[in-house]
Amino acid sequence: MARVAVAAVRGALLSALLWAAATAAGAGPGGSPAPGAFGRVYRGAVNISAERVYAFAYSREPGQVDAVRVYVNSSSENLQYPVLFVVRQQKGVLSWQVPLIFRGLYQRTYNYQEVSRTLCPSEPTPETGPSDQIIFVDVASMAPFNIAYELLVTRLENFQLETNKVFNFTASPSQPQYFLYKFPQDVDSVIIKVVSDAVYPCSVVSVQDIVCPVYDLDHNVEFNGVYQSMTKQAAITVQRKDFPGEQFFVVFVIKPEDYACGGSVPSSIHGNVNRTWNLQRTKNLQVKIVPSIKKSVYVQAMFFSFLSFLSFYLGSVVVAFVHYIRVQRKASAGRLSPEDGSGIMTTSHPITASTPEGSSYGAIDESSSSGGHQLSSPELKPPAGYDTDSSVEEESDFDTMPEIESDKNVIRTKVFLYLSDLSRKDRRIVSKKYKIYFWNIITIAVFYALPVIQLVITYQTVVNVTGNQDICYYNFLCAHPLGVLSAFNNILSNVGHMLLGFLFLLIVLRRNILHRRAMEMKDIYTLDYGIPKHFGLFYAMGIALMMEGVLSACYHVCPNYSNFQFDTSFMYMIAGLCMLKLYQTRHPDINASAYSAYASFAVVICLAVLGVVFGKNDMWFWVIFSLIHVLASLALSTQIYYMGRFKIDVGIFRRAAMVLYTDCIQQCSRPMYMDRMVLLVVGNLVNWSFAIFGLVYRPRDFASYILGIFICNLLLYLAFYIIMKLRSSEKLLPIPLFCIVATAVVWAAALYFFFQNLSSWEETPAESREKNRPCILLGFFDDHDVWHFLSAAALFFSFLVLLTLDDDLDKVRRDKIPVF
């Protein structure tokens, strides 16, 4: 009986409230107001002298959030006299007109006659009893004639989204939707996952704080909160700390055009013609809010990242210790002897630069040469310990080969060359020449990295301030924020490049120290046997690997089309330095200087930037680039074929044409250097194929296109080097053989994850999000993070291959080591 009495009293109060509201509103022109009922359709007509006012009253329970949705419709298409709807609430006013006008690209307009809006719900109050609410809906028009309308007001039953529960709904440009979500007590971060079966119409998903008004139309949805465009998939990570009230609105807006999502403007509406679109752009959406990872997962991921690569340090220590034990045992057993069978050599039997006695390869006897000198003669060697790290000497001071230029031409153009022919310069001076690579790359790294870091910090700040998540191309289904960073996992996964780059520097430093000690002891194997040891390029490669990690992390702070070159610049340098090191191994006297090498890298990076700007559709750019590519390949091939004795100047092409005519057309003789010719022919075919491919298809990802050219040339040269090494009856020791196998296996695995394509800045942000995938490792790392891990290990093993590949020659005389 008590409940019945309370209900009767509440009904009487609501009736009195409606009567008072109607009386108050009755002063308006055009008729008396009418009390409204939820769920009932009201039809009527308005004009300049008649308007309608409806009052909807309802009761709200304590702590309850009630949402009301207003649906209106008018058959009029007259834009001069629209029907105006004004909704008045306790703390706000919402108004719109019908037809509702949306503006698209090039000021095109789209008119909608059916509109429905959700009213901003009032905040729950801590009252002990129910509270009474009232809503006024005013319908008016300035038309001198009657305009019909329909009105429907309903209370939403499924306004609040729940964790781990799927909710389906429909939206259109004139009928946006938004819902409320409250954080559970034990959840600090959630991921809002939205999917749709249809690509178009283009839509926008927004997360906004509990503030009225809610921005739920195309022209204002970007004014507040975090938002991203969507075709078939979207995901937004939301943290509790960003919302003091521990709740937020999820807003869904359908755009009037698909241009922002990569679609085209409908051909039927080209021009400034007004078209009425009612339910032609509806989209079925499905939303699900799931808890994100906990803080403990961040800790596990960081431990995994560091411990995985610190295990490489442990393995290196074990290998170094085993190597030390083996060397000590061999030394105590007296088994250290040269492999030519001549026993232990002393400085009384120096090696000359000539080829072995009795050879028919046209070698020049040192005694007949003005430059003939004994490489291991004590009087020509610098004092022990004189080798320093100073880079003060000028490049012109380095070429101290005592032969005159004509003697170089004779020696370096022999049919068969041995390492002793190309290691005639003073070791100390040549070593200083290669150390310039190390000092220069440090300078380049500092000047390149600092502006990059400043720029990506600005990018991240813009994303955080504006809330526009279309700026950065993350994998939003696996983007874990930390602090101001939106995707900390993509940054953390680059730690491998820095740790393994530093480890490689330590390994090179150890070898350098052992080499210096052997030089100070005047060890005969160090002085006159094996490949001459120059570590400058190895140091530069280690720094380049570390900087690749730094710049890749910078790129992944906010990956997009305009800063992708940050991620690839040092990849170019790594590939170029590896090729230079491979060439320098058998050509220590004639390798490129650091200045010309880095200048070439600078040209490549400039071309990459130009390709990003002009390489999309400009045919003239691809014609010029392909021409430069082909000519550079020919010029470099000529230099390699003639061992640097073919002058590069204005007349190079005329001389090349004469050689081609004389050797290939006039008498068609066999190439003098067959092995080099085979390599260069295959290399030019590969590079010309790249040039033709670029000219025909004009790939949008120009930076990756150039990187592919570098990598293919490096792999081609490395394969040629290993084949020629085995063909020359040289051996592969267990460590380099293991590194070669590990490099191939790890690179294959890394490339598998690289080609998963979790995002693509070649497309619109909405299209890129269609490729997003969940995490696959520890619930924290995605496929691209695994690519970072594996590529760091693959580069490390690749460097070890170059470092250890010729260890089998340490006890072979240099006049028995062929050049190829």
Side-chain angles (χ1 to χ4, degrees):
M1 294 296 293
R3 293 182 179 178
V4 174
V6 170
V9 172
R10 187 185 303 171
L13 289 174
L14 286 177
S15 299
L17 187 62
L18 285 175
W19 180 85
T23 302
S32 61
F38 291 102
R40 177 183 173 184
V41 177
Y42 293 91
R43 296 180 176 87
V46 291
N47 54 47
I48 191 171
S49 60
E51 67 177 69
R52 296 290 183 266
V53 180
Y54 298 88
F56 296 85
Y58 64 96
S59 178
R60 187 182 65 184
E61 297 295 331
Q64 177 183 349
V65 177
D66 286 302
V68 176
R69 190 166 180 84
V70 179
Y71 167 85
V72 297
N73 180 25
S74 175
S75 59
S76 172
E77 297 185 11
N78 192 331
L79 299 181
Q80 296 296 323
Y81 299 105
V83 181
L84 305 178
F85 293 87
V86 179
V87 181
R88 290 176 287 154
Q89 296 176 266
Q90 181 178 347
K91 292 185 178 181
V93 175
L94 181 65
S95 63
W96 65 90
Q97 69 178 47
V98 176
L100 185 61
I101 302 174
F102 292 96
R103 297 195 178 274
L105 195 65
Y106 307 123
Q107 299 302 313
R108 294 186 179 90
T109 58
Y110 304 88
N111 309 326
Y112 287 82
Q113 295 172 306
E114 297 179 3
V115 180
S116 62
R117 307 283 299 276
T118 300
L119 305 184
C120 188
S122 56
E123 300 177 1
T125 58
E127 300 174 3
T128 57
S131 60
D132 297 324
Q133 303 290 324
I134 188 167
I135 299 173
F136 293 101
V137 180
D138 298 356
V139 185
S141 176
M142 298 299 290
F145 48 85
N146 287 336
I147 298 179
Y149 69 89
E150 290 184 0
L151 171 67
L152 172 65
V153 181
T154 59
R155 296 180 66 177
L156 298 180
E157 298 180 357
N158 299 308
F159 180 67
Q160 185 168 334
L161 301 175
E162 298 184 20
T163 307
N164 289 321
K165 288 190 177 181
V166 176
F167 182 71
N168 296 279
F169 60 96
T170 302
S172 71
S174 63
Q175 299 178 355
Q177 300 268 17
Y178 66 86
F179 304 96
L180 175 70
Y181 179 80
K182 294 182 179 180
F183 280 98
Q185 290 298 324
D186 57 342
V187 176
D188 294 325
S189 179
V190 295
I191 301 178
I192 305 170
K193 298 181 179 180
V194 187
V195 295
S196 176
D197 294 332
V199 176
Y200 301 118
C202 178
S203 56
V204 176
V205 181
S206 173
V207 176
Q208 301 179 21
D209 201 356
I210 307 296
V211 178
C212 295
V214 178
Y215 298 100
D216 61 349
L217 293 177
D218 176 60
H219 65 272
N220 61 15
V221 69
E222 301 176 358
F223 291 176
N224 187 24
V226 177
Y227 62 92
Q228 57 183 233
S229 57
M230 170 191 165
T231 51
K232 298 182 68 175
Q233 180 173 254
I236 301 178
T237 300
V238 183
Q239 300 183 81
R240 181 196 291 265
K241 67 179 182 64
D242 295 331
F243 295 92
E246 299 183 353
Q247 55 186 348
F248 55 83
F249 289 134
V250 186
V251 184
F252 303 90
V253 174
I254 309 300
K255 300 184 75 66
E257 288 181 347
D258 298 326
Y259 180 79
C261 293
S264 58
V265 178
S267 58
S268 61
I269 58 167
H270 285 299
N272 293 321
V273 179
N274 295 319
R275 293 297 300 268
T276 300
W277 290 51
N278 287 326
L279 297 179
Q280 301 179 34
R281 288 185 62 81
T282 59
K283 188 165 187 174
N284 297 320
L285 297 167
Q286 182 183 93
V287 59
K288 182 180 181 180
I289 301 181
V290 298
S292 185
I293 60 175
K294 297 182 179 296
K295 294 180 180 178
S296 59
V297 180
Y298 282 82
V299 177
Q300 294 174 9
M302 286 188 279
F303 270 106
F304 171 81
S305 302
F306 284 94
L307 291 179
S308 298
F309 293 106
L310 289 177
S311 64
F312 283 81
Y313 284 75
L314 180 60
S316 301
V317 171
V318 171
V319 171
F321 180 75
V322 172
H323 181 264
Y324 173 78
I325 296 298
R326 291 184 61 186
V327 170
Q328 292 299 320
R329 287 180 179 178
K330 286 184 178 182
S332 60
R335 291 190 294 165
L336 291 175
S337 59
E339 293 184 1
D340 60 355
S342 60
I344 300 296
M345 291 191 62
T346 63
T347 54
S348 60
H349 297 82
I351 300 175
T352 64
S354 62
T355 55
E357 185 177 355
S359 172
S360 60
Y361 293 154
I364 300 175
D365 189 359
E366 290 288 339
S367 61
S368 63
S369 173
S370 61
H373 68 284
Q374 296 173 341
L375 290 179
S376 57
S377 300
E379 65 272 15
L380 293 180
K381 291 290 179 183
Y386 187 71
D387 187 13
T388 67
D389 288 340
S390 173
S391 59
V392 176
E393 292 87 347
E394 293 294 332
E395 179 72 20
S396 58
D397 297 334
F398 291 158
D399 195 357
T400 56
M401 185 173 177
E403 291 87 358
I404 58 175
E405 288 296 311
S406 60
D407 193 32
K408 285 186 182 180
N409 292 335
V410 173
I411 293 175
R412 295 181 184 177
T413 54
K414 294 192 303 181
V415 178
F416 292 95
L417 281 172
Y418 287 86
L419 189 59
S420 55
D421 296 318
L422 299 181
S423 58
R424 298 161 61 87
K425 295 182 181 179
D426 187 286
R427 189 202 68 82
R428 180 185 66 88
I429 300 299
V430 175
S431 181
K432 289 183 181 296
K433 174 181 178 179
Y434 290 120
K435 283 177 182 175
I436 295 180
Y437 278 95
F438 172 66
W439 295 113
N440 279 9
I441 200 170
I442 290 180
T443 305
I444 293 171
V446 172
F447 278 89
Y448 193 93
L450 290 180
V452 168
I453 294 173
Q454 181 180 5
L455 180 62
V456 297
I457 290 175
T458 303
Y459 268 117
Q460 185 66 72
T461 302
V462 170
V463 172
N464 295 340
V465 171
T466 64
N468 183 3
Q469 295 198 353
D470 284 352
I471 297 176
C472 306
Y473 286 73
Y474 303 118
N475 175 17
F476 288 91
L477 288 176
C478 187
H480 302 297
L482 181 66
V484 298
L485 301 174
S486 299
F488 174 70
N489 54 302
N490 294 149
I491 299 172
L492 177 63
S493 58
N494 285 284
V495 70
H497 295 86
M498 291 175 272
L499 290 178
L500 293 184
F502 185 70
L503 175 59
F504 183 74
L505 290 177
L506 294 179
I507 295 174
V508 174
L509 177 63
R510 175 183 173 272
R511 287 206 167 206
N512 196 1
I513 292 174
L514 294 177
H515 179 70
R516 286 187 179 183
R517 289 177 181 174
M519 292 293 296
E520 292 172 357
M521 295 172 61
K522 297 185 179 180
D523 179 66
I524 189 65
Y525 300 115
T526 305
L527 294 173
D528 300 324
Y529 284 71
I531 302 294
K533 302 294 190 295
H534 304 295
F535 298 97
L537 274 169
F538 283 128
Y539 284 123
M541 289 161 57
I543 295 296
L545 180 55
M546 295 180 68
M547 288 306 303
E548 172 56 30
V550 172
L551 293 177
S552 178
C554 290
Y555 164 70
H556 283 92
V557 169
C558 181
N560 58 60
Y561 182 80
S562 60
N563 62 8
F564 181 62
Q565 62 266 28
F566 300 163
D567 195 20
T568 55
S569 295
F570 271 81
M571 289 184 184
Y572 305 146
M573 290 194 180
I574 288 174
L577 290 173
C578 287
M579 285 188 282
L580 287 172
K581 183 59 193 177
L582 205 56
Y583 187 79
Q584 178 240 325
T585 302
R586 308 265 174 162
H587 311 78
D589 285 356
I590 59 175
N591 207 1
S593 68
Y595 306 118
S596 58
Y598 287 127
S600 301
F601 296 152
V603 171
V604 171
I605 293 175
C606 288
L607 288 175
V609 174
L610 292 175
V612 169
V613 178
F614 301 107
K616 296 179 182 179
N617 301 309
D618 295 327
M619 187 65 184
W620 63 266
F621 171 81
W622 284 99
V623 171
I624 296 176
F625 174 78
S626 299
L627 186 62
I628 293 174
H629 185 189
V630 171
L631 294 179
S633 300
L634 290 174
L636 185 61
S637 300
T638 305
Q639 281 293 94
I640 294 175
Y641 186 74
Y642 289 105
M643 291 291 180
R645 307 316 302 161
F646 202 89
K647 292 183 179 180
I648 297 182
D649 53 20
V650 179
I652 182 174
F653 299 107
R654 180 180 57 84
R655 294 194 300 273
M658 291 181 61
V659 171
L660 185 66
Y661 173 78
T662 304
D663 294 347
C664 299
I665 299 177
Q666 193 174 37
Q667 56 186 8
C668 195
S669 60
R670 181 177 182 272
M672 184 178 296
Y673 314 109
M674 179 57 70
D675 294 331
R676 270 178 270 170
M677 178 59 72
V678 171
L679 169 67
L680 296 175
V681 168
V682 174
N684 275 274
L685 290 177
V686 170
N687 282 278
W688 295 354
S689 299
F690 268 102
I692 295 173
F693 173 83
L695 198 59
V696 173
Y697 293 99
R698 300 194 294 277
R700 293 187 62 186
D701 190 354
F702 186 75
S704 296
Y705 170 76
I706 294 184
L707 184 61
I709 295 174
F710 271 88
I711 292 178
C712 284
N713 281 275
L714 173 60
L715 293 177
L716 178 65
Y717 189 25
L718 179 61
F720 169 80
Y721 190 94
I722 294 176
I723 292 172
M724 292 300 298
K725 180 179 178 67
L726 297 176
R727 183 182 171 191
S728 303
S729 300
E730 298 177 7
K731 298 182 298 183
L732 290 175
L733 296 181
I735 290 181
L737 182 60
F738 167 78
C739 292
I740 291 174
V741 174
T743 299
V745 172
V746 178
W747 268 124
L751 290 175
Y752 168 80
F753 289 99
F754 175 76
F755 288 111
Q756 293 305 304
N757 291 331
L758 302 180
S759 61
S760 175
W761 43 255
E762 298 178 21
E763 302 170 338
T764 63
E767 292 173 315
S768 173
R769 271 185 280 275
E770 294 181 25
K771 303 177 180 178
N772 289 176
R773 297 181 189 175
C775 305
I776 63 170
L777 181 62
L778 300 177
F780 191 84
F781 298 110
D782 60 16
D783 297 78
H784 198 75
D785 296 322
V786 177
W787 148 256
H788 287 161
F789 290 136
L790 294 178
S791 64
L795 285 170
F796 177 71
F797 283 124
S798 302
F799 289 2
L800 291 182
V801 170
L802 300 181
L803 183 64
T804 61
L805 188 58
D806 289 315
D807 285 353
D808 61 301
L809 303 178
D810 285 347
K811 302 179 192 65
V812 179
R813 291 165 48 131
R814 289 176 187 167
D815 60 352
K816 289 189 174 182
I817 301 176
V819 172
F820 43 78

